Every structure is written in structure tokens, then in C-alpha cells.
Amino acid sequence: MRPPEVLALEALGWALADDKRAERLLSLTGLTPERLRNGLTDRGVQAAVLEFLANHEPDLVLAADALDTTPEKLVAAARELSR
């Protein structure tokens, strides 16, 4: 099982691969491109990325499939990183 930090970074890469999804990520999380770059190791930033997916089930399901995991594991990783 991959650590939550790894899932978050993989999910970020997946989200940023689509321009519209990337714009929505920045808009809804309040993160800036600079904050993302500088916060890759920040658990709060990682949690925000996973929470973004958790709050939009279609993306959550697509991300889980693309990352060869389950939506439940992504949500659990978001909870773990938010602690």
C-alpha cells in the first residue's frame, strides 16, 4: 500500500494533466501554482489535493482508476494527511 503522501503527489500529477481540472483545482483549493510547487512536501497541500478529488466524485473515481487504487483509499489518505 502506498503512503498517503505518495498518493497525494500521484493525484496531483493526474489532476494537473488536464487543463480544466487543474484550473478548477487551483480555484477551489485557493492554491496558487507557486504554492503547489513550494508545498509538494507539505501535508496540508497534499491533503487539499486529495480533498479536492474527494469533493467531486466523478474525478475521484477517475483518479482512483488512473492511479490503480480505490476512491476509498484516496479519501482515507486525505483524512490521514489532514491530521
Side-chain angles (χ1 to χ4, degrees):
M1 187 164 122
R2 293 174 284 197
E5 297 85 358
V6 171
L7 281 175
L9 293 175
E10 291 175 346
L12 176 59
W14 177 85
L16 294 178
D18 178 85
D19 288 342
K20 288 184 181 184
R21 188 178 298 118
E23 287 177 31
R24 199 170 75 247
L25 168 71
L26 295 177
S27 175
L28 293 176
T29 63
L31 295 169
T32 63
E34 181 178 319
R35 177 72 176 112
L36 274 177
R37 277 190 298 278
N38 294 333
L40 290 177
T41 60
D42 182 307
R43 288 173 66 93
V45 170
Q46 294 168 355
V49 170
L50 291 174
E51 288 167 3
F52 162 76
L53 293 175
N55 289 326
H56 188 68
E57 188 174 359
D59 281 348
L60 178 64
V61 171
L62 288 171
D65 185 53
L67 300 176
D68 195 30
T69 190
T70 65
E72 294 80 13
K73 287 182 182 175
L74 291 175
V75 171
R79 280 195 300 265
E80 177 67 27
L81 291 168
S82 293
R83 291 184 189 171

